[in-house]
Amino acid sequence: MNPVNYLYLAALLFTIGASGVLIRRNAIIVFMCVELMLNASNLALVAFSRLHGNLDGQIMAFFTMVVAAAEVVVGLAIIVTLFRSRHSASVDDASLMKL
Amino acid sequence: MESLIGLLVGAPLLGAAVLLCGGRRLDRAGHWLGTALAASSFVIGLLLFADMLGEETEQRAMHQHLFSWIPVNGFQADVAFQLDQLSMTFVLLITGVGTLIHLYSIGYMEHDERRRRFFGYLNLFLAAMLLLVLADNFLLLYVGWEGVGLASYLLIGFWQHKPSAATAAKKAFLVNRVGDVGLSIAIMIMFTTFGTFAFGPVFEATGETSEGKLTAIGLMLLLAACGKSAQVPLQSWLGDAMEGPTPVSALIHAATMVTAGVYLITRSGAIFNAAPDAQTVVVVVGAVTLLFGAFVGCAKDDIKKALAGSTMSQIGYMMLAAGLGPIGYAFAIMHLVTHGFFKAGLFLGAGSVMHGMNDEVDMRRYGGLRKYMPVTFVTFGLGYLAIIGFPGLSGFFSKDQIIEAAFAKGGTQGWILGSVTLLGAAITAYYMTRVMALTFFGEKRWSETGKDAVHPHESPKSMTIPMIVLAFGSVFAGGLFKWNESFVHWLEPVTQFEHGHSPLSATAVTSMTVVALVIGVGTAWLQYGRRPVPAVAPRGSLLTRAVRRDFLQDDLNHVALVKPGEYLTRGLVYVDHKLVDGVVNGTAATVGGASGRLRRVQNGFVRSYAVSMFGGAAVLVAATLLMRAV
Amino acid sequence: MSFPLLTAVAVLPAAGAVATAAVPAAQRTLAKWLALCVSLATVVLAAVVLVRFDPDGDRYQLTESHAWIADFGVRYELGVDGIGAVLVALTAVLIPFVILAGWHDADTADDEKTAETPGRRWRPTQGFFALILAVEAMVLISFLATDVFLFYIFFEAMLIPLYFLIGGFGDRAHQHGEEEASRQRSYAAVKFLLYNLAGGLIMLAAVIGLYAVTADQLGEGTFSLQAITEARANGELDMATGTERWLFLGFFFAFAIKAPLFPLHTWLPNAMGESTAPVAVLITAVVDKVGTFAMLRFCLGLFPEASEWATPVVLVLALISIIYGALLAVGQRDIKRLIAYASISHFGFIILGIFAMTSQGQGGATLYMVNHGLSTAVLMLVAGFLISRRGSRLIADYGGVQKVAPVLAGSFLVGGLATLSLPGLAPFISEFLVLVGTFSRYPVIGIIAAATIVLAALYVLVLYQRTMTGPVKAGIEGMADLRVRELAVAAPLIALLIFLGVFPKPLTDIVNPAVEHTLSDVRQHDPAPDVEAAK
């Protein structure tokens, strides 16, 4: 199978993730969309690795996974705290950080 | 002996320091200390004079180098004194008259709680004036020059609680400062031309430079002289300066300080001799002031202001004589010395009258005082005869010589100058007779009862003795100087002397002078002596009113300088605040406004931040691709 | 290794600042005495520097040199030349008077009550005197640094303590009440900071540029003044004309703000008006001198050709400063702002003297820095005593003071006479030297500048007349004369003014050789007098 197709898939997933981040209000869903974007880039990295015939892309993908894991820990904690204090998971409600 | 020169200045300077810093403890003895130090300076002067007379004519100049004052690369100013015949004349005049006036002030200022300070200022003045005439370079002279200006400022404004006195003091200082600018520019030109401003080297080198430079120096020196000696156009401060206590008017604004301009020009004779254009201007200034002061003297009812006008006029004579060059220098100084005697005497007399009349200065409220103040009357009268040039008295000899020298200038100029000096002599006789008649003769225009009651009385001894001494000087000094031309010979090594060739014989000039004198006295007597004088001045013609206002000098200054200056400074304050500072504040406001607008982008919505992040990333990617494509 | 005397001069007040700041809140008086003693000890050290300095010796003496940031060629280099030496002396001498004059300036009314409260952190008195000492330390090191980067750091760093001195300890006398006073004060402090920071940043760019140029041409970048001057002299370093001009402008801009030169002057009247009189003296008599000093040392020393290129413009700006400052001083209604504008006029004279490029001009300018420091100190501090009595800065609120407080009025008059450069007092000598030095090269500018001495007399005498003479105004009647502490401030300064006016030789002896060095930097010679030139 042509590895380029994997890249198309990665692009599609990334776009879905990006639009989800921009459109959805629910913090959990936004969060999941971010994960989707990260995984899309992982897919692309692995595909590139295959294309170029070296392991750099795979190593990068591992890094991304670690970062994603860390992000999940921190991000979920923030969302839970936010939900506890405001009884809502909408990202638009948390707009107090403006100048 | 030469090491004594510094003490001449040192003694009064010490007095000033002690009296001004000493505090109230010295209140009781301070005036005696001041007088003693002035007198000691006089004694030192006499010692040096005796020493000088013992020397050969050419060897009489003495020098004392104290220390190097401002040593900067290529610029050398020393504190060094030069005592030659010209300086000696001034030293004796300053310390002599100065001591007498110290003595007089003891009585005059008796009831003033700040008498100690008054004597401190007087001593300060003596020190500065002596420094002025003893300096051996122009920069040190400049120190004395502004020093006397300071002393004059302090003394005119001595009664500071009177706003008029404070204003007059400030005015005197400011107008003098204009002159000082001239002196400093003159010194700067000397420095760039000769590389020095010490008297000796500068005067020797006058031949090596262009006449233009010398004329420039001369005119700048004249500007300085005009300021200090109240010559037109910087005359306006002298009349107001009469706000000071009368001894001050006598010492500073009649006998010594105001004649410093004449000293400066005579001292710089070498420069003026080589710059005929500058000399012409000096003569013109002298002639104009001579008439200006004389007219002002005629119009004033304030006895001190009338005498001030007379002072201006007499200094005009001296200036004119000094402008004539070697034919006039000696006579300028001679008139200066005799004038020092009789004008100081007249002022002290005026002070004595005021002392007895509750400080009334308006002559229209005097009258018939000769019976009440005999000593004052006699001494004042002798001074009066001297100033109008009554044959045989001081003023006659000195003024006559100047008139003769004026004619001797030659050509049309000589005739014009001669006539001006003659006219001046007539007017002098007129206004002085007027003063005399209004004060001592006629009906008494004051009362011993009522609201403004006065009890005229003779002044105490400490005041009358100086007046008597000065009266002696007024009578005999001229004759003494004229005897064998002794004064001219005395000064000749310093000022040079040439006999002027007058188109008229000496006898003719003298008789014309006497005629002028008689006309002046006669007219005044007819007007003020024989007729009763109104106690309130009549309105008078337009001219009279203008002259009473000193030919509108203050109005002119007000319109030409003060008002525009006020508008200028007010405008500049506005410009500084609105424009210069405005640009700064404007920049700050612009930055602040822009940031206020920019911060609206930070709306707090996560998703809008996300959009800008994506947008930014997209732009970056696009840019990278574009770069690659190109 | 010999004792690092110059470091000690600067470190002593710095250590004093730390010690003063650490004094417990309850012991306010101890902090004052500590600060005073430290400043007096600094005077002693500065005197040792003056004594050890040999005018006829090397250009920079008592030098210290250590590597600091080796990667960027930054060195800790100190050295003192004649010009620096007299300014170090001036700074050291003035600070004790500033401290003494500001003895009660930081006391607050509720201080006594709360001083005993345990755990209280806010100690204004300690802070005030610590900040003054900190400024002194930084100014001293600026006068001593011969490494451009080292100089730059302290040139900028002194803004911080000054910002707090202006903003935190302002003049309480204000016609519009406490609240308005505090608003004006913070405005003045921010303005001061922004102005000087802007200049500093531009200078930073020029400093980096200088490094780039030296790194490019010498192979190794350096900030050392001596190294650069030497390299210039033997031709190793040859800046392109354009580069040199840009670098010069970067430096000059910063110094012209600090000095201050028209039209960059507007921060000074605000800063001097709103701060207490001692701080105002600190700003104008000490800190601003760093600007003019740096023009002499860095602008002329590093960029001689560009200095010559800029001379006409600088001279005209200086002349405008002189006239403009004097005219604005005439138009002021506030005593302290009047003195500030007078200072702007005087800074114009200093800059005129520096850029006249004659030994009289530059020698005069150096003396002028010292003399202006002394004369402004007398005038401003006595004005401060006056203002603290009446609680107003407006000239119109005063009148007839000499009747009730003659010693105060007399001291004020002497300060004023010094400001108008009366002969016999020190400023006359420097002003005349500047004028002569300018005149010998630029006669027209010299004459115009000379004419402004009338304006100086005008603003001083009008100020004196309105405040001190005339009938006693309401609110003045019971005014006390100078107290002992105040007399101890005024009298020695006045004595110094008189002494240096009569016998300035000790100063000129130190300054002359240094000026010669500076002139040889810019390759200028005094114009010969006409008579000699003709021969």
Side-chain angles (χ1 to χ4, degrees):
Chain A
M1 196 174 165
N2 188 357
V4 176
N5 290 337
Y6 291 104
L7 291 183
Y8 286 132
L9 178 61
L12 185 68
L13 286 175
F14 190 89
T15 316
I16 294 171
S19 30
V21 168
L22 292 182
I23 292 166
R24 301 303 297 261
R25 283 188 199 151
N26 190 314
I28 299 286
I29 296 189
V30 169
F31 198 69
M32 282 160 68
C33 288
V34 171
E35 288 299 314
L36 196 59
M37 284 159 71
L38 284 170
N39 282 317
S41 52
N42 269 352
L43 184 58
L45 284 169
V46 174
F48 281 127
S49 179
R50 174 83 182 173
L51 264 174
H52 294 297
N54 61 22
L55 288 179
D56 290 359
Q58 303 219 6
I59 294 168
M60 283 301 289
F62 278 117
F63 272 110
T64 315
M65 281 179 195
V66 175
V67 170
E71 189 221 339
V72 168
V73 174
V74 177
L76 272 180
I78 293 174
I79 292 170
V80 169
T81 323
L82 208 65
F83 186 78
R84 271 198 199 146
S85 67
R86 322 193 131 248
H87 304 290
S88 141
S90 165
V91 287
D92 285 1
D93 283 352
S95 66
L96 293 173
M97 282 291 280
K98 66 178 175 191
L99 276 166
Chain B
M1 283 309 266
E2 296 183 347
S3 55
L4 284 179
I5 301 176
L7 277 183
L8 279 174
V9 183
L13 195 61
L14 176 76
V18 170
L19 290 174
L20 292 179
C21 303
R24 301 236 162 78
R25 274 154 290 167
L26 289 170
D27 270 356
R28 287 179 54 202
H31 45 283
W32 288 111
L33 178 72
T35 313
L37 283 168
S40 65
S41 205
F42 180 56
V43 172
I44 298 169
L46 283 179
L47 285 175
L48 285 164
F49 181 57
D51 188 53
M52 196 181 255
L53 285 180
E55 298 280 341
E56 288 293 312
T57 314
E58 297 300 325
Q59 253 100 63
R60 280 179 176 167
M62 297 187 228
H63 293 272
Q64 186 188 15
H65 184 274
L66 276 185
F67 56 88
S68 172
W69 181 30
I70 314 177
V72 172
N73 304 337
F75 181 98
Q76 191 67 40
D78 294 331
V79 175
F81 299 127
Q82 166 188 325
L83 182 66
D84 58 7
Q85 289 89 332
L86 181 61
S87 302
M88 192 74 236
T89 313
F90 271 88
V91 166
L92 291 179
L93 176 73
I94 295 161
T95 54
V97 177
T99 307
L100 288 176
I101 285 171
H102 273 74
L103 199 63
Y104 178 90
S105 306
I106 293 176
Y108 191 83
M109 301 297 285
E110 196 172 357
H111 305 296
D112 199 299
E113 54 175 358
R114 291 157 75 237
R115 179 162 66 162
R116 170 181 56 85
R117 210 185 301 177
F118 181 79
F119 277 83
Y121 292 158
L122 276 187
N123 272 356
L124 179 68
F125 168 75
L126 280 191
M129 189 71 203
L130 288 167
L131 187 65
L132 196 165
V133 298
L134 286 171
D136 94 325
N137 62 65
F138 279 97
L139 199 63
L140 193 61
L141 180 145
Y142 188 44
V143 176
W145 192 265
E146 286 226 8
V148 291
L150 170 68
S152 158
Y153 168 78
L154 294 169
L155 285 165
I156 295 171
F158 186 72
W159 288 316
Q160 285 180 326
H161 50 89
K162 284 200 296 186
S164 57
T167 310
K170 181 188 70 185
K171 184 176 176 187
F173 197 94
L174 281 179
V175 177
N176 267 294
R177 265 257 149 157
V178 177
D180 296 345
V181 172
L183 186 53
S184 64
I185 292 176
I187 299 175
M188 294 196 288
I189 304 178
M190 282 179 213
F191 178 73
T192 53
T193 312
F194 306 112
T196 175
F197 34 77
F199 289 154
V202 167
F203 298 149
E204 273 165 32
T206 46
E208 294 168 35
T209 187
S210 66
E211 198 188 308
K213 281 261 162 94
L214 291 173
T215 308
I217 297 175
L219 289 178
M220 286 298 122
L221 289 175
L222 175 65
L223 179 64
C226 283
K228 194 81 15 185
S229 293
Q231 302 291 293
V232 177
L234 298 179
Q235 80 291 354
S236 63
W237 63 274
L238 188 63
D240 293 342
M242 297 301 131
E243 286 288 342
T246 308
V248 173
S249 312
L251 178 61
I252 301 185
H253 305 120
T256 55
M257 185 191 86
V258 282
T259 58
V262 182
Y263 170 77
L264 184 67
I265 290 187
T266 313
R267 177 57 82 194
S268 321
I271 293 172
F272 282 95
N273 292 346
D277 291 344
Q279 270 186 325
T280 311
V281 182
V282 175
V283 170
V284 169
V285 165
V288 170
T289 314
L290 191 169
L291 293 180
F292 184 102
F295 281 122
V296 170
C298 298
K300 293 287 183 186
D301 289 332
D302 178 329
I303 184 167
K304 285 178 73 181
K305 292 205 167 158
L307 288 177
S310 151
T311 305
M312 268 167 67
S313 167
Q314 298 303 315
I315 296 173
Y317 269 108
M318 300 171 208
M319 275 288 184
L320 191 151
L324 294 173
I327 58 171
Y329 291 133
F331 301 134
I333 301 299
M334 185 166 150
H335 193 55
L336 192 155
V337 176
T338 56
H339 175 256
F341 286 123
F342 56 68
K343 187 53 68 63
L346 287 171
F347 264 110
L348 294 191
S352 174
V353 170
M354 285 159 58
H355 197 69
M357 296 288 288
N358 286 357
D359 288 327
E360 176 63 69
V361 289
D362 189 351
M363 290 189 287
R364 290 186 185 273
R365 320 197 71 185
Y366 293 166
L369 288 175
R370 66 181 185 282
K371 277 175 269 172
Y372 300 88
M373 305 178 176
V375 182
T376 306
F377 168 63
V378 172
T379 54
F380 195 95
L382 289 173
Y384 155 76
L385 290 176
I387 192 174
I388 63 171
F390 192 80
L393 272 70
S394 293
F396 168 75
F397 292 111
S398 52
K399 200 184 287 179
D400 192 47
Q401 301 274 33
I402 291 179
I403 296 172
E404 211 179 307
F407 277 113
K409 170 89 176 166
T412 329
Q413 270 191 31
W415 284 105
I416 295 173
L417 293 175
S419 326
V420 167
T421 47
L422 271 179
L423 179 62
I427 306 176
T428 307
Y430 173 83
Y431 66 70
M432 282 314 296
T433 311
R434 174 172 175 269
V435 169
M436 203 61 196
L438 286 179
T439 308
F440 293 102
F441 294 95
E443 297 287 310
K444 61 175 191 178
R445 295 180 293 278
W446 42 272
S447 74
E448 284 178 88
T449 53
K451 189 158 61 75
D452 303 318
V454 284
H455 306 281
H457 54 85
E458 190 53 273
S459 298
K461 281 261 166 35
S462 66
M463 288 169 69
T464 48
I465 291 173
M467 286 154 58
I468 295 168
V469 176
L470 287 171
F472 268 97
S474 318
V475 175
F476 298 112
L480 197 68
F481 293 161
K482 178 75 178 153
W483 187 267
N484 268 339
E485 303 288 343
S486 57
F487 194 80
V488 172
H489 291 311
W490 159 253
L491 277 184
E492 201 177 339
V494 185
T495 60
Q496 270 83 50
F497 180 69
E498 285 169 22
H499 269 289
H501 300 288
S502 171
L504 298 167
S505 71
T507 334
V509 172
T510 307
S511 27
M512 277 159 68
T513 315
V514 174
V515 170
L517 164 72
V518 171
I519 294 173
V521 172
T523 324
W525 186 251
L526 286 177
Q527 218 173 334
Y528 296 99
R530 306 236 339 245
R531 272 187 280 167
V533 182
V536 177
R539 199 172 138 79
S541 68
L542 204 62
L543 180 68
T544 320
R545 273 178 281 153
V547 179
R548 272 193 202 134
R549 295 183 67 100
D550 307 277
F551 292 101
L552 307 177
Q553 60 183 18
D554 290 336
D555 310 71
L556 204 68
N557 287 346
H558 194 75
V559 172
L561 296 170
V562 179
K563 270 288 150 196
E566 271 175 19
Y567 287 129
L568 179 67
T569 53
R570 239 181 270 164
L572 277 180
V573 169
Y574 185 79
V575 165
D576 195 56
H577 189 61
K578 294 287 170 189
L579 197 71
V580 183
D581 220 14
V583 171
V584 176
N585 288 338
T587 315
T590 315
V591 172
S595 75
R597 239 156 267 141
L598 263 178
R599 79 174 185 198
R600 301 227 178 103
V601 179
Q602 308 278 332
N603 57 10
F605 290 109
V606 174
R607 291 182 302 152
S608 75
Y609 296 159
V611 168
S612 52
M613 271 165 67
F614 280 120
V619 169
L620 275 179
V621 170
T624 322
L625 290 178
L626 262 177
M627 291 303 286
R628 189 120 358 128
V630 177
Chain C
M1 203 182 88
S2 59
F3 178 68
L5 184 60
L6 296 187
T7 303
V9 170
V11 164
L12 182 62
V18 175
T20 311
V23 172
Q27 276 149 322
R28 196 163 74 179
T29 320
L30 174 71
K32 295 175 183 176
W33 281 104
L34 182 66
L36 184 62
C37 291
V38 168
S39 65
L40 287 172
T42 314
V43 176
V44 174
L45 276 186
V48 175
V49 171
L50 268 193
V51 172
R52 294 268 304 274
F53 182 80
D54 171 20
D56 303 319
D58 293 343
R59 178 166 186 181
Y60 295 107
Q61 297 180 22
L62 306 169
T63 49
E64 295 166 28
S65 179
H66 305 283
W68 184 21
I69 312 176
D71 290 347
F72 298 104
V74 177
R75 296 184 68 79
Y76 177 79
E77 277 194 347
L78 299 183
V80 61
D81 65 349
I83 299 170
V86 293
L87 288 172
V88 164
L90 169 76
T91 309
V93 165
L94 278 181
I95 298 296
F97 294 112
V98 166
I99 290 176
L100 206 54
W103 205 247
H104 297 302
D105 279 7
D107 300 356
T108 46
D110 56 336
D111 224 27
E112 298 289 339
K113 280 178 285 174
T114 47
E116 282 79 35
T117 325
R120 190 164 170 277
R121 310 277 287 274
W122 173 232
R123 290 166 298 172
T125 310
Q126 282 83 340
F128 184 69
F129 293 104
L131 288 171
I132 290 177
L133 286 177
V135 172
E136 179 183 19
M138 291 178 189
V139 169
L140 284 174
I141 226 165
S142 311
F143 286 141
L144 296 171
T146 53
D147 184 280
V148 179
F149 198 80
L150 183 67
F151 169 83
Y152 171 75
I153 288 177
F154 287 98
F155 182 75
E156 284 295 279
M158 69 177 89
L159 300 183
I160 301 162
L162 279 170
Y163 172 77
F164 289 112
L165 279 174
I166 299 169
F169 301 92
D171 204 341
R172 264 168 262 152
H174 201 283
Q175 60 270 29
H176 300 305
E178 186 75 28
E179 198 173 318
E180 175 69 10
S182 129
R183 212 180 62 75
Q184 290 286 340
R185 196 153 62 218
S186 64
Y187 172 71
V190 170
K191 196 171 178 181
F192 162 80
L193 190 71
L194 288 183
Y195 248 108
N196 284 282
L197 219 52
L201 288 179
I202 292 172
M203 182 182 164
L204 179 64
V207 169
I208 295 170
L210 183 69
Y211 179 79
V213 171
T214 53
D216 186 36
Q217 295 202 8
L218 302 177
E220 197 178 319
T222 178
F223 290 110
S224 162
L225 191 60
Q226 276 170 294
I228 294 174
T229 322
E230 261 171 44
R232 278 199 83 106
N234 59 28
E236 282 175 37
L237 181 66
D238 185 23
M239 293 185 206
T241 317
T243 320
E244 188 181 332
R245 288 178 184 173
W246 279 111
L247 293 181
F248 169 84
L249 285 179
F251 277 77
F252 185 78
F253 192 71
F255 303 150
I257 286 180
K258 192 75 110 200
L261 184 67
F262 174 88
L264 306 171
H265 62 272
T266 53
W267 64 270
L268 188 70
N270 286 92
M272 279 178 78
E274 301 307 326
S275 55
T276 63
V279 174
V281 169
L282 194 68
I283 294 170
T284 185
V286 178
V287 173
D288 286 353
K289 297 298 183 302
V290 181
T292 44
F293 164 78
M295 283 182 198
L296 260 176
R297 180 175 269 186
F298 295 108
C299 283
L300 300 195
L302 293 173
F303 316 109
E305 277 149 36
S307 305
E308 213 183 321
W309 161 75
T311 297
V313 178
V314 176
L315 285 180
V316 169
L317 284 179
L319 189 63
I320 294 177
S321 273
I322 294 173
I323 301 169
Y324 188 81
L327 282 174
L328 275 161
V330 175
Q332 293 303 312
R333 291 180 299 158
D334 175 326
I335 299 177
K336 288 164 91 181
R337 286 178 70 91
L338 189 153
I339 301 174
Y341 278 106
S343 285
I344 290 170
S345 181
H346 287 133
F347 279 111
F349 272 108
I350 298 177
I351 295 171
L352 194 67
I354 293 175
F355 279 84
M357 309 276 184
T358 52
S359 28
Q360 297 87 41
Q362 293 187 345
T366 310
L367 291 183
Y368 213 126
M369 293 185 215
V370 177
N371 297 337
H372 171 256
L374 297 174
S375 66
T376 308
V378 174
L379 192 63
M380 193 65 171
L381 293 178
V382 176
F385 300 149
L386 181 72
I387 290 167
S388 70
R389 283 162 165 70
R390 173 74 173 77
S392 164
R393 301 190 330 231
L394 289 183
I395 296 171
D397 284 344
Y398 295 88
V401 173
Q402 62 86 30
K403 187 95 179 158
V404 284
V407 180
L408 191 154
S411 313
F412 193 72
L413 182 62
V414 176
L417 293 173
T419 304
L420 63 77
S421 299
L422 189 86
L425 298 171
F428 165 72
I429 293 170
S430 40
E431 188 161 308
F432 196 80
L433 283 173
V434 166
L435 288 174
V436 161
T438 311
F439 183 85
S440 61
R441 221 180 267 269
Y442 310 97
V444 177
I445 292 182
I447 288 176
I448 299 175
T452 55
I453 65 171
V454 179
L455 289 177
L458 186 64
Y459 62 70
V460 168
L461 295 185
V462 168
L463 174 65
Y464 183 79
Q465 187 196 347
R466 297 216 176 125
T467 53
M468 301 296 173
T469 68
V472 181
K473 269 235 170 104
I476 307 288
E477 300 95 349
M479 188 177 274
D481 211 337
L482 288 188
R483 300 182 180 93
V484 177
R485 171 180 64 88
E486 294 165 332
L487 206 59
V489 172
L493 286 174
I494 289 173
L496 255 180
L497 277 175
I498 295 173
F499 175 76
L500 289 179
V502 176
F503 195 61
K505 196 163 180 293
L507 284 189
T508 53
D509 281 350
I510 297 175
V511 170
N512 281 341
V515 166
E516 227 169 291
H517 282 301
T518 313
L519 277 181
S520 71
D521 277 351
V522 286
R523 298 190 197 90
Q524 298 271 7
H525 299 282
D526 292 336
D530 294 0
V531 174
E532 276 171 38
K535 275 174 190 167

